[in-house]
Amino acid sequence: MKVLKFGGTSVGSPERIRNVADLILKSGRNIVVLSAMSGTTNTLVEISQYLLKHNVPGAQETLNALRRKYHEVIEQLFTRPDISMRVRETIERSFSFIAQLAQGEFTQAEEKEVLAQGELMSTVLLQAHFEERGVNCVIIPALDYMRTAQGGEPDMRYIASHLRRLIDLHPEAQVLLTQGYICRNAYGEIDNLRRGGSDYSASIIGAVLDLDEIQIWTDIDGMHTGDPRFVEHTRPVARLHFEEAAELAYFGAKILHPSCVLPAKLHNIPVRLLNTMQPDAPGTLIANFPPDGTIKAVAAKDNITAIKIKSGRMLLAYGFLHKVFETFDKYCTPIDMMATSEVGVSVTVDNTDHLTAIIDELKSFGTVTVDTDMVIICIVGDLEWHNTSNFQARAIQALGDIPVRMISYGGSNYNISMLIRAEDKIKALNLLNQNLFQ
Ligand code: ADP
Ligand code: ASP
Ligand code: MG
């Protein structure tokens, strides 16, 4: 058995929903994880922002536009009036639920409930479409098994036992359908696995059930050498090691949620990235491949801040680095990249919630300089240091005259990271793609 995850664009219109249903039927009896229809989660975020700012008319107008869209989809998707009416009533319950939240004080817990409606609605549409086609498709509600523990990590034991029990209730089902992204937290409240989290849902399911494969179906034929939104002439990468895929996902390759590779890697379950619009394309296979000494792809992580702490006596004054890291630790702020010298250390962060307090404390250890609007460019591949393909020089040369603020290599064999200004990002990504992959 496999788990097949379909992203927002794969279920973005009635035609796509029919298409996805065909693909699912061809694949046999599997678990299907669905995202919200494309644009829905963004719209739900927008509605929540209006409600948090007490702009009820703004929320209502946006909600009504979304409601109209769903009614159009229902009209076009279904031919049987009984099914169409039942689906309309179910979807309408989601909309009235959100509308009713506009009445009182809007809390963050309610925001999570609003964000959950996208996946709850998309699964209702697909399940009813299968019903119209005479296919026995059962919804396994994610809110009944997907759960995070204290600290926010998935509670794998809980998920495994509850999911197994729910699946065993439906031996006759041809398709086992579930919602991606949504879950409950340790207190049983509705929560989510962060934006793009349906990939993570699929990977968790694949891992806890020890399935044969995790398939991520999206709108592109696999992981490309660069981000096609910014880079010309990218091409798909046929094979990636788990570690390479994890680096790319963490450092900005949007095709995969940053946490999605870990459960698959720990359970050694292959992950295949496939294109719903081009189902026969080979896509990308992520597995435990032996080293092949090649550069695979480049990703970019935006909104990075670099902090340099200079101290005249860094290496002699032992304990300096400890104090610096302790400060970030105290404010629960992870560090992405670091570079050291005799006189100081530079680190980067993407979470600036506590930056003012952190800088204030760091000033007692040395002189602090901050650079904002930076981007980490991450070159990923099997880059072991004895490898003679000269990858470091090629990466640096490719950037030409673009100023590089920090360079980091050696934390693993899988990446070289370079910190540059945000304004140079697109040029840098295109130069790297031309020089490393063409
Ligand atoms: P889904 O809605 O199916 O989850 P996403 O939008 O989250 O789809 O991810 C697919 C998108 O990721 C692609 O359309 C592409 O624009 C973007 N992307 C960014 N970097 C890469 C990359 N290196 N390879 C492929 N796609 C990438
Ligand atoms: N619907 C959610 C989002 O847009 C989860 C996902 O698509 O993976 O973030
Ligand atoms: Mg996604």
Side-chain angles (χ1 to χ4, degrees):
M1 196 188 245
K2 297 175 187 155
V3 54
L4 281 56
K5 175 260 169 174
F6 292 91
T9 37
S10 303
V11 287
S13 66
E15 190 196 344
R16 291 266 155 81
I17 294 176
R18 286 190 199 104
N19 217 351
V20 158
D22 292 340
L23 283 173
I24 293 169
L25 288 178
K26 269 193 221 150
S27 73
R29 185 177 190 266
N30 289 309
I31 301 178
V32 174
V33 173
L34 217 57
S35 293
M37 290 179 76
S38 58
T40 299
T41 311
N42 283 347
T43 308
L44 295 171
V45 168
E46 211 181 311
I47 292 167
S48 302
Q49 281 165 351
Y50 280 127
L51 292 177
L52 287 167
K53 294 193 171 99
H54 308 288
N55 180 349
V56 175
Q60 269 160 352
E61 201 179 308
T62 316
L63 185 69
N64 285 336
L66 189 66
R67 177 187 261 136
R68 278 196 296 276
K69 183 179 149 187
Y70 275 81
H71 282 285
E72 273 168 33
V73 171
I74 295 170
E75 213 162 280
Q76 292 166 25
L77 185 60
F78 300 105
T79 47
R80 265 179 53 185
D82 56 331
I83 293 186
S84 172
M85 198 195 307
R86 200 190 64 222
V87 172
R88 203 177 301 255
E89 281 167 13
T90 313
I91 299 284
E92 203 38 53
R93 276 202 289 280
S94 279
F95 284 105
S96 348
F97 169 73
I98 302 172
Q100 157 244 310
L101 293 179
Q103 307 308 320
E105 187 63 29
F106 189 63
T107 64
Q108 285 188 338
E110 286 170 339
E111 181 181 6
K112 301 275 174 62
E113 294 177 26
V114 169
L115 298 187
Q117 301 308 315
E119 274 69 12
L120 293 171
M121 294 195 290
S122 64
T123 43
V124 165
L125 292 173
L126 183 61
Q127 195 266 346
H129 172 67
F130 273 127
E131 186 181 340
E132 235 188 38
R133 291 171 71 159
V135 175
N136 184 348
C137 166
V138 171
I139 295 183
I140 307 287
L143 298 178
D144 291 352
Y145 69 87
M146 191 58 83
R147 193 178 172 110
T148 53
Q150 302 276 358
E153 290 298 310
D155 185 340
M156 299 303 249
R157 278 191 169 182
Y158 180 99
I159 298 168
S161 63
H162 285 71
L163 179 56
R164 266 200 208 103
R165 188 178 51 76
L166 290 166
I167 290 176
D168 288 347
L169 294 176
H170 304 284
E172 75 300 340
Q174 290 165 269
V175 179
L176 297 152
L177 177 62
T178 190
Q179 299 86 9
Y181 175 61
I182 63 176
C183 64
R184 289 188 187 273
N185 64 19
Y187 307 102
E189 298 157 340
I190 293 183
D191 206 336
N192 61 62
L193 300 172
R194 291 180 289 141
R195 294 305 308 272
S198 298
D199 304 336
Y200 196 22
S201 306
S203 177
I204 293 168
I205 292 170
V208 297
L209 298 181
D210 198 22
L211 300 181
D212 300 326
E213 192 167 282
I214 298 161
Q215 294 187 348
I216 308 286
W217 288 83
T218 180
D219 58 358
I220 187 164
D221 53 343
M223 179 72 78
H224 275 224
T225 51
D227 187 333
R229 292 169 300 174
F230 308 112
V231 185
E232 287 180 356
H233 311 301
T234 60
R235 54 177 166 76
V237 182
R239 288 152 62 124
L240 285 174
H241 191 276
F242 284 121
E243 302 285 356
E244 294 168 335
E247 297 281 359
L248 286 165
Y250 182 75
F251 284 104
K254 187 181 174 245
I255 187 170
L256 280 179
H257 182 276
S259 309
C260 147
V261 180
L262 187 67
K265 183 183 106 177
L266 291 177
H267 292 76
N268 198 17
I269 299 172
V271 179
R272 215 180 269 279
L273 309 181
L274 294 159
N275 187 349
T276 337
M277 267 72 85
Q278 235 180 296
D280 298 326
T284 300
L285 180 61
I286 304 166
N288 209 355
F289 291 117
D292 66 358
T294 63
I295 303 178
K296 303 296 188 328
V298 176
K301 193 167 179 192
D302 299 319
N303 299 319
I304 302 293
T305 301
I307 304 150
K308 186 193 294 175
I309 309 106
K310 248 176 79 178
S311 147
R313 299 176 304 123
M314 173 181 142
L315 288 187
L316 289 178
Y318 89 78
F320 174 76
L321 282 181
H322 174 75
K323 281 188 265 179
V324 168
F325 288 126
E326 200 173 46
T327 310
F328 287 92
D329 189 43
K330 179 170 157 193
Y331 291 99
C332 300
T333 301
I335 289 169
D336 282 321
M337 232 179 121
M338 64 174 288
T340 59
S341 87
E342 158 63 3
V343 291
V345 56
S346 272
V347 298
T348 71
V349 297
D350 69 347
N351 177 347
T352 51
D353 292 351
H354 304 289
L355 194 61
T356 316
I358 291 173
I359 293 169
D360 208 40
E361 292 198 19
L362 290 174
K363 281 184 176 159
S364 42
F365 317 131
T367 319
V368 181
T369 331
V370 177
D371 292 302
T372 53
D373 296 325
M374 308 296 285
V375 167
I376 296 176
I377 301 288
C378 186
I379 296 139
V380 173
D382 169 33
L383 309 176
E384 208 201 352
W385 67 280
H386 328 96
N387 177 335
T388 50
S389 72
N390 212 10
F391 56 85
Q392 296 100 329
R394 283 164 61 208
I396 290 166
Q397 272 163 15
L399 288 184
D401 60 359
I402 294 174
V404 178
R405 161 76 176 77
M406 271 168 81
I407 300 179
S408 164
Y409 168 70
S412 80
N413 285 339
Y414 296 99
N415 89 49
I416 309 175
S417 302
M418 297 198 262
L419 188 72
I420 61 168
R421 289 188 304 226
E423 65 206 65
D424 295 326
K425 166 179 147 175
I426 294 180
K427 185 177 167 197
L429 289 177
N430 279 283
L431 283 170
L432 285 162
N433 197 62
Q434 281 159 26
N435 286 288
L436 301 177
F437 306 114
Q438 280 173 20

